[in-house]
Amino acid sequence: MVADPVSGRIELHYDFDDASASFVERIELPPSPDAQDSEAFQDAARLLLLVAGTSYYKSQAPAAIQIDVPTTQAERDLVSALYDHGLREFAYTNGLAVPLLEEIRWAGNPVPASASASTGSEAIGRPLVPFGGGKDSTVVLSLLPEADAATVNPTTTHHDVARILGRELIAVRRFVDQLDELTRPDRLNGHVPITAIVSSVCLALAVRDGFTSVVLANEQAADEPTLISDHPASAGRAVNHQWSKGATFEALLDAALVSRGIGVRYFSWLRDVSETDIIAILSGQTEALGRLVSCNRAFAGRTTGATSEAPQRWCGECPKCVFTFLMLATRLSPEQLKSIFGADLLATTERNGEFEALWSEVKPLECVGERSDAAGAMVALADDPRWAMHAAVVALHS
């Protein structure tokens, strides 16, 4: 690992024991000529090394991994959970046994917790918000006018929405090494806990630049399991697409920071906030609503670090689009939503299967809200004269 605070360049090194592949991931924070190196910055970069390894591990998913850097017990707890719960969707979609790892070989005994370690607190201080350009992070930025915003591999949409909210983005670049190699047909592939990686990048930035907190936009819905696996290799195990957005991961990562004596707190401003309340706040952000995009397809291909100048648009087909449209419909008119999405997703029965999946036992493997959120929204629309006669509402409420 190489971490230079002045240039902002962080290099993360990974390789497989059989020498079949080695990788060097690059993170580029904005240069800071006056930055001073510190133990805390190196600790934060090392934490990023531990977390970002999931992107490369999955290509072969060995039964054991070796960690060659010193770690505290809290960091070990974080890594163990990340490679289990954080990769359960990956295991589920590839039919692999859970837990994936049979052994983690650590470098020596755990490093003692820092003498300056103290219990984490939700102190805002000088906050940094990881900004995804979607509904939740837009809400957090609107509620925290004192916060700065950072985006990993930002697009035009990220910059536009941040500007509407009166912020200039701090742009960070992440370059996943050998993406073609990682996505070869004979390699395993699938979901990684990307929120954990982005959070760790932002923590390194926060430590270097004097922020006192990294404030997430992860709501309470992130704790609801997406499904219970029925695969023989993982039968009965909970699979949560949003695990690294949940309260358990949040506590583990904050504990790892505390164990190193890093004085940056990590928590979500929306942890106890429902989707209904988030939509209520968001619906008042009329200008931002016309530019924000909560659609993963719109932001595909951002792991190369390249800048995207083309405007992002809702695809109108994926589970995130369907869920967000449904929730916003409880607050906005058909005309308003059509202007945002480019189509009225409830006007026909074409997407009824996608709507029903939102409250089924097996939710889509996407960042969508709780089953009760979606079901309750559809019931509410049946009583709303603006929506009650829409084909999808009639069919799904009958």
Side-chain angles (χ1 to χ4, degrees):
M1 181 194 81
V2 177
D4 177 22
V6 174
S7 68
R9 187 183 179 96
I10 300 173
E11 292 185 357
L12 310 173
H13 295 249
Y14 308 96
D15 60 88
F16 289 100
D17 284 344
D18 62 3
S20 60
S22 61
F23 304 92
V24 180
E25 175 163 322
R26 286 190 294 119
I27 306 294
E28 294 181 358
L29 310 178
S32 180
D34 298 325
Q36 299 295 313
D37 200 359
S38 67
E39 184 177 351
F41 177 70
Q42 295 298 322
D43 286 342
R46 192 181 303 110
L47 184 61
L48 174 57
L49 173 75
L50 297 174
V51 171
T54 52
S55 292
Y56 305 96
Y57 166 84
K58 70 173 184 177
S59 67
Q60 295 186 30
I65 61 172
Q66 183 167 323
I67 308 291
D68 288 331
V69 296
T71 47
T72 65
Q73 185 58 54
E75 289 172 327
R76 295 184 179 194
D77 293 341
L78 170 67
V79 171
S80 297
L82 193 68
Y83 275 81
D84 180 3
H85 296 276
L87 288 174
R88 280 198 184 179
E89 178 182 334
F90 163 76
Y92 171 79
T93 56
N94 286 282
L96 302 176
V98 173
L100 288 165
L101 286 176
E102 297 176 4
E103 180 184 10
I104 300 178
R105 303 178 191 128
W106 304 99
N109 294 322
V111 175
S114 169
S116 62
S118 60
T119 302
S121 64
E122 295 191 0
I124 289 291
R126 184 187 173 210
L128 178 67
V129 173
F131 184 64
K135 63 182 181 66
D136 300 326
S137 55
T138 294
V139 165
V140 168
L141 272 189
S142 73
L143 295 174
L144 293 177
E146 70 273 38
D148 286 297
T151 297
V152 178
N153 299 341
T155 67
T156 302
T157 295
H158 293 98
H159 286 289
D160 286 351
V161 179
R163 201 167 292 121
I164 288 169
L165 296 172
R167 319 300 164 85
E168 289 295 327
L169 277 183
I170 301 171
V172 179
R173 302 291 172 193
R174 178 188 180 220
F175 299 84
V176 175
D177 191 21
Q178 302 178 55
L179 191 61
D180 290 342
E181 171 69 19
L182 289 170
T183 54
R184 269 175 23 198
D186 61 329
R187 292 280 195 195
L188 293 168
N189 210 345
H191 177 72
V192 296
I194 187 63
T195 299
I197 298 170
V198 170
S199 296
S200 299
V201 171
C202 289
L203 282 163
L205 174 67
V207 169
R208 189 198 67 172
D209 290 356
F211 292 94
T212 56
S213 58
V214 171
V215 184
L216 277 291
N218 300 328
E219 72 287 358
Q220 67 181 23
D223 286 319
E224 181 179 79
T226 306
L227 56 88
I228 303 300
S229 175
D230 58 359
H231 287 184
S234 57
R237 303 273 188 165
V239 176
N240 187 354
H241 174 82
Q242 302 188 82
W243 184 79
S244 66
K245 289 185 174 183
T248 298
F249 172 78
E250 181 181 305
L252 286 166
L253 183 53
D254 192 56
L257 296 172
V258 170
S259 74
R260 286 289 185 178
I262 296 175
V264 177
R265 296 284 62 81
Y266 174 83
F267 60 92
S268 173
W269 196 244
L270 303 180
R271 175 57 58 210
D272 299 320
V273 181
S274 70
E275 285 283 354
T276 301
D277 291 335
I278 290 170
I279 292 298
I281 298 169
L282 183 65
S283 62
Q285 295 290 329
T286 52
E287 189 178 0
L289 267 174
R291 288 298 293 126
L292 67 84
V293 177
S294 288
C295 171
N296 286 343
R297 293 184 187 180
F299 298 117
R302 290 170 58 224
T303 53
T304 61
T307 301
S308 173
E309 300 299 337
Q312 286 67 50
R313 296 286 184 265
W314 300 87
C315 75
E317 299 175 352
C318 72
K320 285 188 75 172
C321 282
V322 171
F323 175 76
T324 306
F325 189 99
L326 175 60
M327 296 304 298
L328 281 171
T330 64
R331 291 280 174 171
L332 304 178
S333 70
E335 293 74 25
Q336 288 173 300
L337 278 182
K338 189 172 181 179
S339 70
I340 294 169
F341 284 80
D344 184 342
L345 305 188
L346 289 164
T348 72
T349 59
E350 181 182 352
R351 306 243 172 262
N352 279 14
E354 287 87 341
F355 282 113
E356 288 183 298
L358 296 173
W359 54 78
S360 71
E361 289 187 10
V362 181
K363 287 197 303 184
L365 291 164
E366 268 283 11
C367 294
V368 297
E370 292 179 282
R371 294 167 176 84
S372 58
D373 294 325
M378 188 61 75
V379 170
L381 295 188
D383 293 328
D384 187 332
R386 299 174 301 176
W387 294 99
M389 299 311 296
H390 274 54
V393 177
V394 171
L396 291 170
H397 194 257
S398 60

